[in-house]
Amino acid sequence: MIDYSHIPSPCFVLEEARLRANLELINSVQQRAGIQIILALKGFSMYSAFPLVKQYLPGATASSLNEIKLVNEYMGVKAHTYIPAIRDDEFDEILERSSHLTFNSLSQWERYKDRAMNSGVSCGIRVNPQYSEVGTDMYNPCVPGSRLGITRDLIGDTLPDGIEGIHFHTLCENDSFTLERTLEALESRFADLLHQAKWVNMGGGHLMTREGYNTDHLVQLLTAFRQKYDVQVILEPGSAIAWQTGVLVSTVLDLVNSQGIEVAILDTSFAAHMPDTLEMPYKPRILNSYHEPVAGKPTYRLGGMTCLAGDFMGDYSFDEPLNVGDRVIFDDMIHYTMVKTTTFNGVNLPAIGIWQEDKTFRLVKTYGYESFKDRLS
């Protein structure tokens, strides 16, 4: 059990043992299926945990030069790189720091192919299989008019000279049966090109660490695909790596009654520190609370500390009334949360710490005025 009273607030707390358990499961999948599973920095960029990640995963994928540099520095490898639109003034450094480079469009490939083919980097093209079961359009790369990847009508019967890989990413926290249906759609459009490829990157969204996920089915799917097309298969899950590995610790700063609604204002912000809760949207779980209001129990609408009117989430019930100074612990806040924080309204970023396997807490980083100022000019 973690004693949250001795942890600063607000603070992201990674549980090292839970991260290791996820990595062991993921490593089991990649070993059994004969594939590569790599870390997606867009979902988890906590580089203080990369020494542990490196024990299990062979690499990482990046979508910007800054992420590439983080992969190089803290994973100790060149990056698998996919950037929707590449800046010309960054291209040479991207090549130098990458082992694989996926192009988003044929026009970008034509613009950069000579430099890319002379670099020794393995190049690929992102395709759009025009099939996705993602329910939220903001996270669906296959919506009509999507800028991510090329559809089959844009490419001929052969892969462009110099293209060795095919990349697709159409899942978001889905299971292996969704992947199976996605592969059917992919093969119906691109099977001939898959036979020409050396590697296929199936992107992220494979939530294999979620309870109930059928990893045996996933292994069977990936093994069959790899053997059918004689390709190296790469997965780059974002959420699965850090799924259920930590929390965001917050504290009640004030309690107000607003037209009959009890409101607890916290020292954190949904808009600045948990933007996915408003973007997806989803209602985060809170330890030792009821996810939905319970009649007769103390019930509160939780509000962030910024001036944004919509910076709130509600409603939750508790067994006992909240008091100023009480801790409110948001569960599963390590993936796709830390990477999206902002200093909107000048609020400090949450600290970052690790609950280590020896049952001690290590404070990794804190933020203050300089972090806010450095984002502005």
Side-chain angles (χ1 to χ4, degrees):
M1 297 294 292
I2 299 176
D3 183 358
Y4 293 108
S5 66
H6 294 291
I7 292 174
S9 180
C11 183
F12 290 109
V13 182
L14 172 74
E15 294 188 52
E16 195 171 49
R18 291 191 175 194
L19 177 60
R20 185 183 296 278
N22 281 358
L23 291 168
E24 288 175 345
L25 183 149
I26 291 168
N27 185 46
S28 172
V29 169
Q30 75 174 347
Q31 294 297 327
R32 290 159 59 201
I35 65 165
Q36 282 194 347
I37 301 180
I38 59 179
L39 169 69
L41 263 68
K42 70 176 182 178
F44 183 64
S45 296
M46 188 175 171
Y47 55 88
S48 56
F50 285 5
L52 177 56
V53 174
K54 287 195 299 183
Q55 295 178 28
Y56 299 91
L57 305 185
T61 181
S63 291
S64 66
L65 182 54
N66 285 337
E67 284 189 346
I68 293 169
K69 290 179 177 179
L70 209 63
V71 170
N72 296 164
E73 184 174 356
Y74 290 96
M75 288 289 288
V77 295
K78 291 190 173 184
H80 289 242
T81 300
Y82 163 74
I83 300 175
I86 301 171
R87 291 172 55 101
D88 188 72
D89 60 344
E90 294 180 348
F91 185 74
D92 289 336
E93 188 172 4
I94 289 169
L95 279 180
E96 180 184 347
R97 294 177 174 273
S98 302
S99 61
H100 296 67
L101 178 57
T102 295
F103 289 84
N104 183 62
S105 68
L106 291 173
S107 59
Q108 287 245 309
W109 168 246
E110 287 296 325
R111 186 174 304 126
Y112 293 115
K113 66 179 183 181
D114 291 339
R115 290 150 73 182
M117 292 171 67
N118 290 329
S119 70
V121 173
S122 182
C123 296
I125 190 75
R126 176 164 177 171
V127 301
N128 177 357
Q130 296 175 270
Y131 179 88
S132 176
E133 298 182 21
V134 178
T136 303
D137 281 353
M138 185 174 185
Y139 295 89
N140 185 349
C142 295
V143 293
S146 171
R147 72 192 193 285
L148 303 176
I150 62 170
T151 50
R152 183 56 206 253
D153 59 298
L154 297 179
I155 193 168
D157 295 332
T158 59
L159 288 174
D161 185 37
I163 292 291
E164 298 181 336
I166 291 175
H167 173 104
F168 72 92
H169 182 165
T170 66
L171 279 67
C172 180
E173 298 186 356
N174 293 125
D175 62 17
S176 60
F177 297 94
T178 303
L179 174 61
E180 185 173 33
R181 293 186 290 271
T182 301
L183 290 177
E184 290 172 358
L186 177 76
E187 292 180 84
S188 71
R189 293 176 170 85
F190 294 95
D192 56 332
L193 299 183
L194 292 169
H195 281 294
Q196 301 169 30
K198 292 183 179 179
W199 53 265
V200 175
N201 187 323
M202 298 186 181
H206 314 273
L207 194 47
M208 63 190 76
T209 49
R210 178 163 53 192
E211 185 178 359
Y213 189 105
N214 191 331
T215 55
D216 289 338
H217 181 248
L218 176 63
V219 169
Q220 292 167 9
L221 267 182
L222 298 175
T223 302
F225 186 94
R226 174 176 58 81
Q227 294 174 344
K228 180 178 181 179
Y229 294 103
D230 190 24
V231 291
Q232 179 187 40
V233 172
I234 304 163
L235 267 60
E236 47 183 43
S239 296
I241 306 294
W243 182 258
Q244 294 287 346
T245 59
V247 300
L248 174 58
V249 176
S250 68
T251 301
V252 178
L253 296 182
D254 197 13
L255 296 162
V256 298
N257 183 287
S258 177
Q259 302 173 72
I261 298 173
E262 297 295 334
V263 179
I265 302 178
L266 309 176
D267 65 349
T268 188
S269 163
F270 296 96
H273 302 154
M274 297 173 270
D276 252 14
T277 64
L278 304 182
E279 291 175 1
M280 180 61 89
Y282 77 97
K283 187 178 182 182
R285 295 201 172 271
I286 294 173
L287 302 189
N288 302 314
S289 78
Y290 298 90
H291 196 237
E292 298 299 335
V294 176
K297 291 188 177 291
T299 299
Y300 301 87
R301 182 163 298 170
L302 302 182
M305 64 186 302
T306 73
C307 296
L308 178 67
D311 188 5
F312 71 90
M313 183 67 59
D315 296 328
Y316 296 83
S317 292
F318 299 81
D319 285 325
E320 300 294 335
L322 292 178
N323 295 295
V324 171
D326 284 351
R327 292 298 175 93
V328 174
I329 314 298
F330 292 93
D331 196 19
D332 197 21
M333 282 288 144
I334 301 299
H335 61 92
Y336 281 105
T337 302
M338 216 186 302
V339 293
K340 287 190 172 185
T341 55
T342 74
T343 57
F344 168 68
N345 225 167
V347 298
N348 277 338
L349 298 169
I352 298 174
I354 299 176
W355 185 258
Q356 300 177 120
E357 290 174 301
D358 64 2
K359 309 301 181 185
T360 61
F361 175 72
R362 175 164 67 96
L363 182 62
V364 174
K365 196 163 189 178
T366 58
Y367 301 89
Y369 170 64
E370 292 300 323
S371 301
F372 168 65
K373 186 180 73 171
D374 284 348
R375 298 190 177 203
L376 305 170
S377 64

